[in-house]
Every structure is written in C-alpha cells, then in structure tokens.
Amino acid sequence: MISRRLAVSLLSLVFLVTIVFFMIHATPGGPAYSILGMHASPQAVAALNRQMGLNQPLSVQYAIWWAHLFEGRLGYSYIQHIAVSRLLGTYTRRTLLLDLCALALAVLSALLVGMVQGYYADRALGKIIGFAQILFYALPVFFIGILLIYIFSIRLNWLPPGGIGHHGGMSQMRHLILPAVTLALPIGAGLSRYFGHQARQEYRLDYVRTARARGFSDLYVAYRHVLRNAVRPFITMVGMMIPALFVGGVLTESVFNYPGLGWLLWRSALDQDYPTLSAITLLIGILTIAGNLAADVLNSILDVRVRYE
Amino acid sequence: MASGAAIFVILLLFSWAGPFLHTASPYAIHPHLLFQEPSWQHLLGTDDLGRGMLARMMYGGRPSLGVAMIGSVIATLLGLCYGMVAGLSPSLVDKSLMRILDAILALPTLVLMIFFAAIIPLDPISLILLLGLVSWPGLARIVRNEVLAYKGRDYILAAKQYGASTWYLARTHLLRSMFPIVIVNATFTVADLILTLAGLSFLGLGIQPPQPSWGGLLGNGSNLAITGSWWLILFPGIAIFLAIMSMNMIGQGLLNRLEGR
C-alpha cells in the first residue's frame, strides 16, 4: 500500500515538473522575450538564448531543467533581480507561521464547537451551530477576508488591514490575527461539522448515559469519554485538510497582502515573473503532494482496514 | 433542492434578462456620480468611475455563470471519456490509467490554475478551456467505478452475448445507467468552477476589466474598501455566495433522491 502510494506521488511530481517546464516554454515569444521585453532586438534575444541554453533541443533543455531542480537552481527573478532560491526561505517561513496559526485556531475551535454541538444536538443551539458551519464553509475565503477587513480595520479600526508589521512582538501578532481567522473559518467550519457529528454519535451510546446516570458531571463525561473517543477519526480528518490550508492560504495572503508564498505566487503571476512563478508552483505543488502522501500514510497506520484494501 | 433551483434561476434571469429591464450601460463612466451609495436612482450604488453597480452586476453574472457552466460541460465530457475508457479496458490498462489519475488528483488545482492564468490569454474562451481541462479527474474516477459496477450485470452480459460491441455497450447501456450520477457531479462541478473563476477574477487573473464579473467586481471593491464603499463588496460577494450555495443545494438534493430510490 505504502510503496504503491509512493509511486503515485513520484508520478505526480513528474507530471508537475513536466507541466511547468512545457508551459514556461510556451510563453509568448519564449522566455527570452519575457526577460528582455517584447521590443527586444533579434540579436539580443539570440544572445540571451545562447547564454541561457535556450537554443538547444527541447529534450536537452528538459534534462537540464531536472538537473537544475535537483541542485536547487531555480533561476533569477525578473522583478526582484535576485536568485529565486534566496527569496523562498523568508516567504516559506511566513506562510508556515500563518498556516500553523490558522490550523491551530481551526482545530481548537472545531473541538470546542463540536463538543457543544454534540451535547446540544437536538436543541436550538445545535441547529444554529449547524447553520453557521454550512454558511462559513460555503462563503468564499476571499469574501470573508474582505468583510473582516471592512468591519475590523476600516469601520472599527481595531486591527491592521494587511501586511506583516515589524518582525517579532505585538505588531506582528496583530497583523496575523485577521488572516489567520479568515483562513481558519472555512477549515474550522468543515472540521467542527465532522467532529460535531462524531461527538453526537458518542453522546448517544449507552456507556455515556450510564456515566451520566452514575452522577458524573457533564464536563467530566465530555472530557473523559466523549472527547477521547470522538477525537481519533478526527485526527485523520485534520490531515486531509492540509491541502485546503495551502490553497486557502494563497487567496488569504493575497487579500491581506501578507507576503508569504501564496502572495508571491499571485504577484509573480500578475507581473509574469516566470522564474519565480514556476519555482513557487513547483514548491507548493511538492508540499501538496507530500501533504497528501503523509495524510494517506498516517491514515493507513491509524486504520488497519485501509492497509488491506 | 427546489429553493436552490429557484435561487439559481433568479440569478440566471438577473444576468441575462435583467439588462432588458435596466438598460443602463455597464461601461458608461459618470465623473459626477462617483461612489454613490445605494438609493432609488442607483439601486446598488455606483463604483469609483461612476458606473452603475446594478448594470455591472447583471452583465458580470454572464461570464461568472456562463464560463463555469460551459467549463463544467467540457469537464464532464472529458471525465466521461477517460472513465469509460479506463473501466472498459483490460485490467492492467485500467490500473495504470487509475494510477495516472491518482497522480493528477494529488496536484494543487488552484495553484496550477494561477500558474496557467499567468501564461495563457485571459479571454472567456481560454478560461472555459482552462477550467474544463483542469477539473475532469474527479468525475473520471466516479465514471470508471460505475462502469466496473455495471459491467458484470446480467443485462450487460446478455447484450454481449447478442454480439453488442463495446462502443455500443458504452453508448447505450452504460451511459444511460450512469446518467443520474454524472448529472449530480456536473452540478457540483459548476459550483466549484463558479468559486474558482470568482477567485481567479478576484486576483486579476480571470475575466479582465473593464468587462465586469462578480469576482472582478469583488476584487475592485476590496481595493476600494478603504473608501468605506460597502456596496462594492457586499453585492458581488453575496451573488457569488448565492450561486455556489444554490448549485450545491441542487446537487445535494439530486444526490439524496438518487440514493433514496
């Protein structure tokens, strides 16, 4: 199972690298024109093509592309005039910080909301929570983001509308709050709906009723019995949400001008900065493929049934 | 499901029939009418160039819904072909085609779309092709599993005994049997594509201004949020939300009926 899964991931990787290579070579006029501009002289284009190896057969260039990839040589940004590989470290760190904050927020709120929903399942509160979950799950993440900016930054002036602030300390924290909440809302809504359902199933079981009949407090029963038993399938669900986190992150970072990988992807797409664009597409692609692989492997370790499928 | 269908029909009417009732141009600039709040003269307010939001919302609905719907048709056809071929092929070919599909499904769709959008020309036709070409794999898997489920049924075996060709089986029996599940899936695909296209247009990588689209209008509104013009944000956002929500309601309703039969 795991070796087959690994082979599929490798195939994904080959597809990803090949798609990016051929699309970059299909850019209007080729890469040289993108660097020198549409009005470059033929001599200048020919010179640059020679210098960059673009005059060689496509198959040779494809091989070189792979070789460069393994060496971590990702080309130079047209816009920032710096090696792309030197850009990525900082941006990746910022993205990981945002994504981890959002994930923590989503998981904690999903556990809390799910427990409450499971307890009040058939009463008004449970229904209201269920409605809110569908609402937040269906609202586009960029719409949520702008609404939060409008309410909390522009009308109330409580939090900054975007950027990252000074490194470290309160300023950076304050800049993280809105994007993290935006990213966490749809993911938390999806997770809490799932966990709420699990908790509700658990609350219906005889042993929970017995525990309550024996006089244990609701909080004790909730923590000792319901939470512990409902949380196991929830963990694999969290793993499956990781690709959604990356994708939501791209839009969230763009809405809040939060300079992470997603923002850089967006800017380089708008500026047609192809080296940066292809490097980030590859990087996020590899992260997603690895995330999917990790979630599947985790799933097969936790659940024996999957392994024998 | 009925309420979902009603909402979607209203959105379609708003976009395609609305301009016959409200005849203002979505492109006409009025320098003396910038940032007008919603009022009886301008029902949905005006934008930073004095253009009426009502007209822009109406004309913006056309690409927002149309591109997604046609894209979904393309995706459905591609998914049908791939799934049928895989399901009807010998086991080894089927297995390899499925592994290839797994590999494609592991790629981050939105990131690839942004990547493609930076390279291809951004007119509605290219966007339809882009959305259609990227979003078929999910359906391909469903179709293939359906083919396998029906392949061993008696009526298929009987048809084979009578000498029916594989192409005849696929066209007549299999296609008819899986028609409902394909329609359900196409409905969900429309909802997905409306969201994706809105996201791309919001980022400036979808439908290009001055042509209005709901995602593009929302993007413009978010750039102008600092002016406090809530109507430039709220109306396009709600339209996108309603379109996605109604399509999902239709899909879910159809699915419930299908499973209940």
Side-chain angles (χ1 to χ4, degrees), chain A residues 115 202-203 207-212 214 216-231:
Chain A
M115 287 301 289
E202 214 60 43
Y203 265 114
Y207 81 94
V208 173
R209 196 179 46 205
T210 311
R212 277 161 126 179
R214 285 172 65 197
F216 289 118
S217 72
D218 278 358
L219 266 179
Y220 179 84
V221 173
Y223 172 69
R224 265 312 274 264
H225 298 306
V226 178
L227 180 68
R228 285 196 180 182
N229 282 312
V231 87

Side-chain angles (χ1 to χ4, degrees), chain A residues 36-274:
Chain A
L36 297 170
M38 279 300 158
H39 305 293
S41 69
Q43 291 83 3
V45 171
L48 191 70
N49 275 343
R50 242 192 333 276
Q51 189 193 332
M52 289 171 57
L54 290 167
N55 54 348
Q56 299 190 28
L58 209 57
S59 54
V60 176
Q61 289 189 45
Y62 184 61
I64 294 174
W65 175 261
W66 272 100
H68 281 182
L69 213 62
F70 276 112
E71 291 167 13
R73 281 165 58 183
L74 299 166
Y76 283 84
S77 164
Y78 302 159
I79 304 293
Q80 308 209 26
H81 301 292
I82 176 175
V84 174
S85 49
R86 286 179 56 196
L87 278 176
L88 294 183
T90 324
Y91 286 89
T92 309
R93 259 200 307 282
R94 292 187 189 133
T95 292
L96 284 181
L97 178 66
L98 174 62
D99 286 1
L100 282 178
C101 286
L103 189 64
L105 208 61
V107 168
L108 287 178
S109 58
L111 288 175
L112 197 68
V113 171
M115 287 301 289
V116 173
Q117 191 185 15
Y119 187 79
Y120 291 102
D122 299 316
R123 279 173 272 177
L125 185 59
K127 298 219 166 88
I128 292 170
I129 291 175
F131 180 74
Q133 283 163 338
I134 294 179
L135 190 72
F136 283 117
Y137 194 66
L139 277 174
V141 64
F142 44 92
F143 185 39
I144 298 178
I146 304 164
L147 284 182
L148 291 183
I149 291 177
Y150 186 81
I151 297 169
F152 293 102
S153 303
I154 292 168
R155 283 286 146 192
L156 298 173
N157 204 12
W158 287 354
L159 290 164
I164 44 168
H166 305 295
H167 187 68
M170 274 308 287
S171 164
Q172 196 181 9
M173 285 280 289
R174 281 165 49 84
H175 281 81
L176 261 175
I177 294 174
L178 283 184
V181 169
T182 304
L183 188 50
L185 266 175
I187 292 170
L191 284 177
S192 71
R193 191 166 180 75
Y194 182 77
F195 184 66
H197 186 72
Q198 295 286 333
R200 185 185 179 182
Q201 299 293 328
E202 214 60 43
Y203 265 114
R204 281 187 179 158
L205 295 178
D206 288 339
Y207 81 94
V208 173
R209 196 179 46 205
T210 311
R212 277 161 126 179
R214 285 172 65 197
F216 289 118
S217 72
D218 278 358
L219 266 179
Y220 179 84
V221 173
Y223 172 69
R224 265 312 274 264
H225 298 306
V226 178
L227 180 68
R228 285 196 180 182
N229 282 312
V231 87
R232 256 175 75 107
F234 177 73
I235 294 174
T236 48
M237 195 69 190
V238 172
M240 286 163 70
M241 282 287 173
I242 287 176
L245 196 66
F246 287 137
V247 169
V250 173
L251 289 162
T252 310
E253 288 179 6
S254 307
V255 174
F256 287 93
N257 270 311
Y258 180 90
L261 283 180
W263 180 86
L264 194 58
L265 176 79
W266 173 50
R267 291 312 312 180
S268 56
L270 280 182
D271 296 337
Q272 307 201 316
D273 179 1
Y274 294 123

